[in-house]
Amino acid sequence: MSAARRLARVLADLGPRYLPFADAATKELPLGRLLRLSLFQVTVGMAAVLLIGTLNRVMIVELDVPAWIVAVMLALPLLAAPFRALVGFRSDTHRSVLGWRRVPYLWFGTLLQFGGFAIMPFALLILSGDTTGPIVIGQVAAALAFVLVGAGLHTTQTVGLALATDLAPAYARPKVVALLCAMLLAGMMASAVVFGLALHDFSAIRLIQVIQGAALATLILNGIALWKQEPRDTSRKSVPARRFGEAWEAYAAQPQARRRLIATGLGTAGFSMQDILLEPYGGQILHLPVAATTALTALLAVGGGIGLLTAARWLNRGGDPFRVAAAGAVVGIAAFSAVVFAAPLGSGGLFACGVALIGLGGGLFAHGTLTASMAGAAPEQSGLALGAWGAVQATAAGAAIAASGILRDAGSALAVSGRLGEAMSEASTGYLVVYHIEIGLLFATLVAIGPLVRRPALPPLSARPALS
C-alpha cells in the first residue's frame, strides 16, 4: 500500500469531527487524491514567502541591495497577474493530442517557477556587487528570475484551481476550496520556518542552496500533485477553438460577473493594505518587542484558518457565498476599528484581537468570493472565471500594498510638519490614514456585494398574515 493511501486511511479513520477538512473528500475525488492535488498550493505559498518575506530582507540587509531596486524586483511578479484570465481561458480551450486541458499548463507553470528559482541566487549575488562582473547583468538576470517565478506562480495557481473545479462535484466545492486555501497557509507557515532556520547563519553558498532547494521542491511537489489527476479525453482535439475576446464577452455578459469582480477587487484591497504595516505599527506606535510583532503573522494565519473553517461549514449548510464574503467584510471593519483604537488606548491586547479578526474576515471573504467564482462559471469557462478572480485579486493586492507605503509616508510627513493640525501631529497618523482607507474600502465592498446576495424566497402576498 502506498504512503498516500495509508495516510488517507488514517485520516478517514479519525473522521471529520477531528479533521475539519476530511469531509471534503467525495467518491469522485477521494481524500488521498485531493491532498495530493493540494500540493500545488504548498509550492505557491512557498514561492510567495520566499519572494515577499525572505528575499525582501536578505537583499536589503545581507546583500546591501538598494531598497528601490528591491521594491522594483518584488513588484515584477505582479506583471503576470492580469494575464491569469487569459491563462485560464487557454486551459479551458486547449486541444491536446493526449486529451489534456489543464496538465500542460500546470507543468509549464511549474517549469517557469523552477527556471526562475534556478537562476535567481546567482543573479542576486551579481546584483549585490559581490562579484567582478558588471552589475547590469545582475539586474537583468534578477528581473528575469522574478518575472519567471511570478508567471509560473500565477499560471500554476490559476490552472490548479480550475482542475480542482473540474474534479470536485458542485456540492463539495466549498469544502475543497477551504482545504486548498488551508494548504496555501500551511505552505507559507512551514516554508517561513524552514527558510528562517536555513538562513540563520547567512552565506552566499547557503542562499544558493536554499533557493535552489525551493526550485527542486517545487518540481517534485507539483509533479506529485499532477500525477494521474486529469482524465484524458482525446475528443477535445476536435472542438473548434474560440477567441479570448469572444469568451470574455460571454463571461462578462453574465448578470453578476462584473459586480463580482469589482467586489473582489475592493475587498482584497481593503484587507491587503495592512500587509506591510502591522508589524511596524506594533513596534513603533505600541512599542511591542520584536518577538511580539513577529508572532502577528502566526496570529493572522490562525484567524485566517478559523475563517476558512467557518466559511466551509456555513456554505456546506447551503449558505450564500456572497453573504459569507459580506460577513468577512463586516468582520474586517470591526478588526480595523480595533487596530485604530489600539493606538490612543495603548492596548497591545486590543491590537492582537484586531489582527486575529483581520485574518478571520480575510478568510471568510476570500473563501466566499472564490466559491462564488467557481459556482458562477459554466464547465467550459471555469478556467476563465478563476483566472479573472485571481487576476483581480493579485492586482488589487499588489496595488494596495504599494499604495499603503506611499500613503503612510505621505500621512506621516503631513502630520509631522503640522499641516494637519496639532491634534493630528501624532506619529501614528500615517498608519491611521491607511487603516481608515481600508475601512472605507470594506464599506464600498458591502455596497458592491449587496445586490449579489441571494434573497430568501418569500411566500406570496395572499399567504402572508394580515397586519393588525
Side-chain angles (χ1 to χ4, degrees):
M1 184 183 296
S2 66
R5 290 183 179 179
R6 287 198 299 270
L7 176 61
R9 176 168 294 183
V10 171
L11 296 179
D13 291 339
L14 290 175
R17 181 177 179 182
Y18 301 103
L19 293 169
F21 299 112
D23 58 352
T26 61
K27 182 180 179 181
E28 298 84 354
L29 191 59
L31 185 58
R33 186 179 175 187
L34 177 58
L35 289 173
R36 191 160 53 80
L37 176 62
S38 67
L39 290 177
F40 80 88
Q41 284 284 71
V42 174
T43 64
V44 169
M46 179 176 63
V49 167
L50 189 59
L51 293 181
I52 300 174
T54 305
L55 291 180
N56 184 17
R57 179 251 163 79
V58 166
M59 284 193 289
I60 293 177
V61 179
E62 278 78 11
L63 299 181
D64 199 24
V65 178
W68 71 269
I69 294 181
V70 175
V72 171
M73 294 299 172
L74 294 179
L76 287 176
L78 292 176
L79 295 177
F83 295 98
R84 290 178 66 145
L86 178 61
V87 170
F89 164 75
R90 291 297 185 189
S91 72
D92 286 336
T93 59
H94 184 68
R95 294 182 294 173
S96 170
V97 175
L98 297 176
W100 283 323
R101 291 191 302 166
R102 315 294 186 190
V103 167
Y105 285 89
L106 277 166
W107 187 242
F108 186 63
T110 300
L111 293 179
L112 287 174
Q113 281 182 264
F114 177 83
F117 283 139
I119 66 175
M120 184 178 291
F122 307 103
L124 294 180
L125 293 177
I126 299 175
L127 182 64
S128 68
D130 193 21
T131 63
T132 57
I135 196 171
V136 66
I137 295 178
Q139 293 173 343
V140 174
L144 176 62
F146 278 91
V147 169
L148 288 175
V149 173
L153 184 153
H154 291 300
T155 301
T156 299
Q157 189 176 46
T158 298
V159 184
L161 290 173
L163 178 58
T165 303
D166 296 340
L167 298 177
Y171 70 88
R173 285 174 188 167
K175 292 174 285 188
V176 172
V177 169
L179 175 62
L180 293 176
C181 293
M183 290 298 283
L184 178 64
L185 289 175
M188 294 178 69
M189 295 178 66
S191 57
V193 173
V194 172
F195 293 152
L197 294 175
L199 292 173
H200 183 265
D201 297 322
F202 180 82
S203 67
I205 298 298
R206 184 60 61 88
L207 178 65
I208 295 172
Q209 292 173 339
V210 167
I211 298 180
Q212 293 197 333
L216 182 61
T218 297
L219 197 65
I220 293 174
L221 292 179
N222 282 359
I224 295 173
L226 290 177
W227 184 252
K228 292 185 178 181
Q229 291 287 3
E230 184 180 20
R232 295 172 58 187
D233 184 1
T234 55
S235 64
R236 293 193 186 109
K237 62 184 180 181
S238 61
V239 177
R242 294 182 298 163
R243 293 188 302 173
F244 174 72
E246 296 174 352
W248 177 256
E249 289 178 1
Y251 172 74
Q254 297 177 10
Q256 298 180 342
R258 293 182 183 274
R259 181 175 284 271
R260 182 169 63 234
L261 293 178
I262 291 172
T264 299
L266 290 172
T268 301
F271 279 108
S272 299
M273 292 183 77
Q274 50 76 30
D275 277 0
I276 62 172
L277 297 181
L278 283 181
E279 289 194 32
Y281 179 75
Q284 183 181 358
I285 307 303
L286 298 176
H287 308 293
L288 298 178
V290 175
T293 57
T294 303
L296 294 177
T297 302
L299 193 60
L300 200 66
V302 169
I306 295 174
L308 294 174
L309 285 172
T310 304
R313 293 183 182 277
W314 190 346
L315 293 170
N316 192 38
R317 295 196 297 266
D320 180 8
F322 292 115
R323 197 178 293 276
V324 173
V330 172
V331 172
I333 292 171
F336 286 112
S337 299
V339 171
V340 167
F341 283 109
L345 295 177
S347 174
L350 184 60
F351 177 57
C353 180
V355 172
L357 288 176
I358 290 173
L360 174 62
L364 289 170
F365 181 80
H367 196 306
T369 54
L370 179 54
T371 302
S373 296
M374 295 175 75
E380 68 277 4
Q381 287 188 325
S382 59
L384 175 62
L386 292 170
W389 174 85
V392 169
Q393 189 201 43
T395 304
I401 292 172
S404 67
I406 298 173
L407 291 170
R408 181 264 178 194
D409 291 343
S412 296
L414 291 174
V416 170
S417 65
R419 296 182 181 180
L420 300 180
E422 184 178 354
M424 299 288 288
S425 60
E426 299 291 333
S428 61
T429 299
Y431 295 100
L432 298 183
V433 167
V434 175
Y435 297 146
H436 280 88
I437 290 175
E438 290 184 283
I439 292 173
L441 287 172
L442 292 177
F443 272 115
T445 302
L446 291 175
V447 173
I449 289 179
L452 302 175
V453 175
R454 187 172 63 225
R455 267 62 174 181
L458 295 176
L461 291 175
S462 58
R464 300 181 193 177
L467 293 176
S468 57

